[in-house]
Amino acid sequence: MQPEKVRIASEEVRANYIKTVILLLMMAGCIIALSWLLGFMLLDEVLGLQIGLVVALVVIPFELLCAKFAVLQLTGCVRARPEDPQQRRIIQLVEGLSIAAGLIKTPKVYIMRSNVPNAFAAGWGPNSAVVAVTQGLADMMDDQELEGVIAHEIAHIVHRDVMVCQVAAAAQTAMMILAQIIKCVGYLVMWFASARDEDDERGGSLGSLGAVLVGLLLYLFIEPLTWLISTLMVMAISRKREYAADAFAVRLCAYNEGLARALEKLSDDCPRYNSKVAHDMGGNTVGPMYFYFPVKSLFSTHPDTAERIRRLRNMY
């Protein structure tokens, strides 16, 4: 059996960045497709595309503006205090890693009063970013492990991953709104078609029965199908960004073992993540933003922890 090829951190970052761009373009394509379908049902494709554009231009900026404040409110974070020795250690690590990463402005540091170890980054970009660390993480990790976790969050800020994930989540909201509109239009198509006996202008050979069937299918399946596709894309984007952030953290620390050991400790602590803990930490809405979120399923926001550790220990 041949040994696995050693991963170079910069190449890992580049590969995952390309995959993220492709997934975002696919989400944009889904919005266009839903808009076109809406226009087709309204007998005016241009009108449908205009409605889709308006929905996207309203929903995406609104969610981006509200996301940072909503996350801090949901998680109950408070500003770190330099007079507390433990919190001062976190502040100093954030400051040092920010300088090493080339950030002009040091992110604000917040502490989350939770005994469950975790961390996340939030904000619209490097100039408005914050790094939050739970009390449990500060208590559990030694200096090298804590440095690795914070470097991972700094990587998200440098790569603007927070913005990318928020754009993806907002695009999903726009898709669901369009699906809801299509569902309502499908119901109307089904109702009007069932009320008349002759073919409409665009029905052709389908006739009113065909229009009823099309309207029924759209009414029943457009919303769950849109939710499934958009959720899978959002989760895939989140997973790709985690791999890229791990790779950047290795470059930033010039050391991969601290982050690998931190993930091992968190993996051992996995049984504490029940539904109540997830709710107290902001729920599944905030889940993709955390450093570690142990939900193993098709809709997982994070890659498998064992795979992350394996990649880290094979990376330089």
Side-chain angles (χ1 to χ4, degrees):
M1 182 177 179
Q2 293 183 346
E4 184 182 1
K5 181 181 177 182
V6 175
R7 296 176 181 271
I8 300 174
S10 58
E11 293 180 358
E12 186 80 1
V13 170
R14 189 180 305 111
N16 283 284
Y17 178 80
I18 293 171
K19 293 173 184 176
T20 299
V21 171
I22 292 172
L23 286 165
L24 285 172
L25 290 175
M26 289 172 64
M27 292 195 78
C30 287
I31 291 176
I32 293 172
L34 287 169
S35 302
W36 181 88
L37 177 60
L38 176 61
F40 179 79
M41 295 174 66
L42 295 173
L43 309 183
D44 189 340
E45 287 82 358
V46 175
L47 175 61
L49 292 172
Q50 290 173 342
I51 293 173
L53 179 63
V54 170
V55 170
L57 291 179
V58 171
V59 170
I60 294 177
F62 178 78
E63 287 207 8
L64 290 178
L65 288 172
C66 296
K68 173 183 172 181
F69 305 106
V71 168
L72 293 177
Q73 184 67 29
L74 283 170
T75 55
C77 292
V78 295
R79 283 294 296 272
R81 295 180 293 109
E83 58 269 22
D84 183 302
Q86 190 181 56
Q87 296 182 20
R88 183 168 62 247
R89 175 181 66 142
I90 297 170
I91 294 171
Q92 290 171 346
L93 281 172
V94 172
E95 289 174 347
L97 289 167
S98 298
I99 293 171
L103 292 178
I104 297 175
K105 184 177 180 181
T106 301
K108 295 177 181 179
V109 181
Y110 283 79
I111 301 297
M112 184 177 167
R113 302 298 186 183
S114 173
N115 292 325
V116 179
N118 222 318
F120 68 85
W124 306 311
N127 293 329
S128 64
V130 302
V131 172
V133 175
T134 67
Q135 188 62 51
L137 188 82
D139 293 337
M140 175 183 285
M141 302 296 170
D142 63 29
D143 287 346
Q144 287 184 336
E145 294 160 356
L146 187 59
E147 181 186 46
V149 174
I150 293 176
H152 175 99
E153 299 308 323
I154 295 293
H156 281 313
I157 295 170
V158 172
H159 295 159
R160 297 181 182 271
D161 289 342
V162 179
M163 177 72 77
V164 169
C165 289
Q166 288 172 353
V167 168
Q172 182 184 28
T173 302
M175 289 171 65
M176 293 306 300
I177 291 173
L178 287 171
Q180 188 65 37
I181 296 172
I182 292 172
K183 179 179 178 180
C184 294
V185 174
Y187 175 80
L188 293 175
V189 168
M190 182 174 58
W191 188 83
F192 281 116
S194 63
R196 65 174 178 255
D197 297 324
E198 59 183 27
D199 295 347
D200 59 21
E201 294 178 0
R202 295 183 67 170
S205 60
L206 284 177
S208 58
L209 179 59
V212 169
L213 291 175
V214 170
L216 180 62
L217 289 173
L218 289 170
Y219 181 77
L220 293 176
F221 296 112
I222 189 65
E223 194 171 12
L225 186 60
T226 301
W227 177 85
L228 177 63
I229 293 172
S230 62
T231 300
L232 289 175
M233 288 183 179
V234 170
M235 298 302 100
I237 289 171
S238 177
R239 290 192 291 270
K240 296 304 178 186
R241 304 321 296 153
E242 291 302 315
Y243 280 135
D246 284 347
F248 188 88
V250 171
R251 291 178 56 195
L252 199 57
C253 298
Y255 182 66
N256 61 359
E257 191 59 26
L259 184 55
R261 289 204 313 266
L263 282 168
E264 282 182 333
K265 283 187 176 181
L266 291 171
S267 182
D268 293 339
D269 199 60
C270 179
R272 296 175 64 182
Y273 278 82
N274 53 39
S275 57
K276 183 180 184 303
V277 168
H279 179 268
D280 292 342
M281 297 181 71
N284 292 331
T285 302
V286 186
M289 301 180 66
Y290 279 113
F291 169 70
Y292 175 76
F293 206 70
V295 178
K296 294 183 180 180
S297 72
L298 188 63
F299 303 106
S300 174
T301 59
H302 289 62
D304 179 67
T305 305
E307 175 64 14
R308 290 176 70 182
I309 294 170
R310 186 187 65 80
R311 288 191 181 206
L312 281 167
R313 287 188 166 143
N314 199 41
M315 188 183 300
Y316 70 93

